[in-house]
Amino acid sequence: MPINENFLLCPDMDSLPRIDPPLRIGVMASGNGSNFEALVESTLSSSLNAKVELLVVNNECCFAIDRAKRLGIKYLLHDHRDYVSRHELDKALIQSFKEFEIECIVMAGWMRVVTPTLINSFNNRIINIHPSILPSFPGLNAIDKALAFGVKVTGCTVHIVSAEVDSGPILAQAVVPIFEHDNKQSLRRRIQEQEHKILPIGVAVAAERWRLEDLSRDNMC
Ligand code: GRF
C-alpha cells in the first residue's frame, strides 16, 4: 500500500474505481459530527460516488444535527435511553436504515457498541473510524492513552465493524506524529484533519470490494 507525503496509509482516491451504482450511505453519530460533514462534502464534490441519505443520532444535543440541517441531510433521533437493551436499539436502527434503502452504515463517532444483529443485518457493510493506529489503543480515550503511553506516532484508522470493538478488517490508516508540546486538544485536531481525508477513502476501498462481491453473486444466479 502506498505511503504518501501526508502519511496516509491508503490508496489515493483518484486511483480507486468509481463506485457504480452510487453507494447509499447511512451515518450514525453521537457528537460533533465533523467526520459526518467531511463524508457528505466528499460526496458533494463527487470525489466519492455516494450519497449520505440519512443521519441517525442518539443524542438530541449533538452538533451533528446542526450540520445535517445545514447540509440538507435527513436525520433521525434514536436515543439509546429509550430502549431496554442494545439489541432493541439496533432493531430500531435496522428498521430506519432499511426504510431509507441504506446499503452501508458509517459510524462517525457513534459512542455505542453495536450488536451482531445490526452487523449481520447489513452483511458486514458497516464502517467505523477510530482515533488511533489500530490495533493500538482500541476502545474509549484512544488519544489520552497514546499520550499517556508516550508513543511518538499515533493516527487514525477506518475499518469494517466486527462484533469485537475496534477490531475488524482495516481499510485505511493515517499516521500522525506526537510532538513534545502536544496536549489532547492539539493532537486531536491533527488526528481529525487526517480522519476527514481517510474516511471517504476507506469507504471507497470497501465499496470497490462490495461491488465486486455483488457482481460475482449476480453472475452465479
Ligand atoms: C473521531 O475522532 C472518531 O475517530 C471517533 O469519534 C470522533 C468523532 O468526531 N470515533 P466527530 O464527531 O466526527 O467530530
Side-chain angles (χ1 to χ4, degrees):
M1 193 168 280
I3 303 179
N4 69 20
E5 72 273 17
N6 294 320
F7 297 99
L8 302 189
L9 305 162
C10 51
D12 281 341
M13 186 67 108
D14 295 344
S15 70
L16 291 164
R18 193 169 166 77
I19 307 167
D20 183 30
L23 192 68
R24 296 177 65 84
I25 300 177
V27 175
M28 308 202 302
S30 302
N32 180 26
S34 69
N35 281 285
F36 157 66
E37 178 156 358
L39 189 61
V40 173
E41 290 298 344
S42 74
T43 65
L44 298 178
S45 70
S46 305
S47 62
L48 183 69
N49 195 25
K51 181 145 191 278
V52 176
E53 303 283 351
L54 179 66
L55 168 73
V56 171
V57 298
N58 65 326
N59 165 14
E60 67 181 339
C61 301
C62 86
F63 190 64
I65 295 176
D66 299 56
R67 297 182 193 262
K69 286 180 183 163
R70 175 163 45 80
L71 294 162
I73 307 286
K74 295 197 177 85
Y75 70 92
L76 290 174
L77 172 67
H78 282 294
D79 191 327
H80 57 279
R81 288 157 287 216
D82 295 338
Y83 298 89
V84 293
S85 65
R86 281 190 184 136
H87 183 68
E88 291 303 314
L89 169 62
D90 282 1
K91 276 181 14 193
L93 292 172
I94 292 166
Q95 191 179 343
S96 294
F97 286 128
K98 296 281 179 196
E99 274 167 23
F100 280 79
E101 297 178 37
I102 297 302
E103 293 181 76
C104 153
I105 298 172
V106 175
M107 292 168 54
W110 177 257
M111 301 308 285
R112 313 291 305 166
V113 173
V114 296
T115 68
T117 310
L118 182 67
I119 297 170
N120 296 338
S121 156
F122 278 85
N123 203 15
N124 295 308
R125 294 182 179 191
I126 305 184
I127 289 172
N128 183 42
I129 181 147
H130 182 77
S132 76
I133 295 286
L134 291 172
S136 291
F137 311 126
L140 293 175
N141 305 319
I143 297 175
D144 293 313
K145 287 176 191 165
L147 285 167
F149 206 92
V151 289
K152 300 298 176 199
V153 292
T154 184
C156 45
T157 302
V158 180
H159 67 97
I160 302 279
V161 172
S162 61
E164 202 180 325
V165 172
D166 299 329
S167 68
I170 288 171
L171 299 165
Q173 292 185 308
V175 172
V176 175
I178 300 181
F179 302 126
E180 291 270 310
H181 59 265
D182 264 328
N183 55 33
K184 186 175 176 179
Q185 287 67 36
S186 61
L187 184 55
R188 181 196 283 131
R189 186 180 45 71
R190 293 206 314 287
I191 289 175
Q192 286 222 314
E193 277 172 18
Q194 301 306 318
E195 288 186 337
H196 300 164
K197 292 179 198 158
I198 66 167
L199 181 56
I201 296 175
V203 171
V205 169
E208 182 189 1
R209 291 181 199 165
W210 296 333
R211 288 291 175 259
L212 288 174
E213 279 171 22
D214 294 344
L215 205 61
S216 67
R217 192 198 51 225
D218 292 349
N219 288 340
M220 281 168 65
C221 297

